[in-house]
Amino acid sequence: GKAPEEFQMLVHLFGGVSSPSCASYALRRTADDNVEHFDEDTVQTVRRNFYVEDCLKSVEDDQCASRLVDQLCQMLAKGGFRLTKWISNSCDVVQSVPVSERAGSVRELDLENLPIERALGIQWDVQSDTFRFKIVVKDRPPTRRGILSVISSIYDPLGFVAPLILPAKIILRDLCRKRLDWDDRISPEDLTRWEDWLQELPKLEQFTVKRCLKPKNFGRIVSSQLHSFADASQEGYGAVT
């Protein structure tokens, strides 16, 4: 038989299991390699404020933000990275970024109406600097499968609307207890519960959460505390910090 040929990849595969790890390493290595040429804030931003390829950072004022944008672009360019799609809740910061490097929604900058962007899947209303939710109710049959699909479509990694989602999860739990199969018809009583919840769901678009916890011009934080509360009942349990 013919001897097997061996091939070796000369670049990293896109979409491999190791891809996020390799990307993070390359970013951090770029910061490590250039630590002597850039300030501590720039270095720490690369180390602590990137989630795979997204950088999310909050700073004190417009001047700090514009400077950080410039420094980050210069540093990461040394590692072969081009930072682009910049967006800020400050028009002055956006204007300091070349048009070609701005997020598409602010290429033609409207100073009165900043857009709504997606930040790690959550809606960020740049104008009001709040997080909000976009609800598109899927047309799914009222079965265990359909109900699970609708519940799973609400992306809420920070748990802002966990109390709203809990009643729907309780319905799903009850259907499991009744040993219904994935596509079985549910009882009229359960259908009413589900439809009542679905009617309330669009109201979620009126709900907003301020992005910044600290009041403007608050000054330097000398001490901060985390307070955690938790409680449970027969129906469910919750915790908030």
Side-chain angles (χ1 to χ4, degrees), residues 80-150:
F81 297 98
R82 176 194 167 201
L83 291 186
T84 185
K85 298 182 181 178
W86 291 97
I87 182 83
S88 169
N89 62 331
S90 163
C91 291
D92 288 342
V93 174
V94 175
Q95 285 182 308
S96 74
V97 176
V99 175
S100 61
E101 305 307 305
R102 296 177 193 167
S105 53
V106 286
R107 290 278 168 81
E108 302 295 328
L109 188 61
D110 180 349
L111 295 176
E112 298 300 319
N113 299 292
L114 286 168
I116 292 177
E117 280 286 310
R118 291 176 70 81
L120 297 184
I122 299 175
Q123 296 270 322
W124 174 33
D125 187 328
V126 183
Q127 186 78 43
S128 62
D129 202 14
T130 56
F131 293 126
R132 60 195 317 150
F133 293 84
K134 174 104 176 131
I135 298 299
V136 179
V137 180
K138 295 181 175 182
D139 184 19
R140 296 287 187 266
T143 60
R144 273 182 62 200
R145 190 189 305 276
I147 291 172
L148 179 62
S149 175
V150 173

Side-chain angles (χ1 to χ4, degrees), residues 2-224:
K2 190 177 177 183
E5 292 184 62
E6 289 187 16
F7 295 89
Q8 181 179 357
M9 293 288 181
L10 300 180
V11 295
H12 280 290
L13 285 168
F14 178 80
V17 174
S18 61
S19 294
S21 176
C22 293
S24 294
Y25 173 77
L27 272 173
R28 287 165 176 263
R29 181 58 189 262
T30 301
D32 294 344
D33 288 347
N34 294 281
V35 71
E36 295 176 7
H37 308 293
F38 293 88
D39 60 38
E40 180 69 9
D41 191 37
T42 305
V43 173
Q44 287 302 329
T45 297
V46 176
R47 288 174 176 166
R48 301 189 60 180
N49 292 95
F50 274 86
Y51 182 81
V52 190
E53 79 275 30
D54 288 322
C55 178
L56 295 172
K57 176 82 172 180
S58 182
V59 295
E60 285 295 320
D61 53 45
D62 294 357
Q63 190 176 357
C64 289
S66 296
R67 184 176 181 283
L68 185 60
V69 169
D70 180 61
Q71 291 289 292
L72 283 172
C73 287
Q74 285 189 47
M75 173 190 273
L76 292 180
K78 292 180 179 296
F81 297 98
R82 176 194 167 201
L83 291 186
T84 185
K85 298 182 181 178
W86 291 97
I87 182 83
S88 169
N89 62 331
S90 163
C91 291
D92 288 342
V93 174
V94 175
Q95 285 182 308
S96 74
V97 176
V99 175
S100 61
E101 305 307 305
R102 296 177 193 167
S105 53
V106 286
R107 290 278 168 81
E108 302 295 328
L109 188 61
D110 180 349
L111 295 176
E112 298 300 319
N113 299 292
L114 286 168
I116 292 177
E117 280 286 310
R118 291 176 70 81
L120 297 184
I122 299 175
Q123 296 270 322
W124 174 33
D125 187 328
V126 183
Q127 186 78 43
S128 62
D129 202 14
T130 56
F131 293 126
R132 60 195 317 150
F133 293 84
K134 174 104 176 131
I135 298 299
V136 179
V137 180
K138 295 181 175 182
D139 184 19
R140 296 287 187 266
T143 60
R144 273 182 62 200
R145 190 189 305 276
I147 291 172
L148 179 62
S149 175
V150 173
I151 294 173
S152 301
S153 70
I154 303 169
Y155 186 69
D156 178 36
L158 295 175
F160 289 142
V161 294
L164 177 92
I165 298 172
L166 182 63
K169 290 186 173 180
I170 289 173
I171 294 171
L172 202 56
R173 181 201 63 191
D174 292 345
L175 296 177
C176 292
R177 282 179 173 170
K178 292 176 181 178
R179 299 189 179 280
L180 289 178
D181 211 341
W182 282 106
D183 298 303
D184 287 349
R185 291 179 64 127
I186 64 177
S187 70
E189 297 83 22
D190 290 328
L191 181 59
T192 300
R193 291 166 67 197
W194 174 242
E195 289 178 341
D196 286 347
W197 185 84
L198 269 183
Q199 285 184 346
E200 295 287 311
L201 190 57
K203 294 180 182 177
L204 188 56
E205 293 199 344
Q206 301 165 26
F207 176 71
T208 60
V209 179
K210 287 186 178 180
R211 180 197 60 82
C212 188
L213 296 173
K214 184 179 68 170
K216 198 170 183 181
N217 303 320
F218 186 77
R220 182 170 168 270
I221 295 176
V222 178
S223 143
S224 56

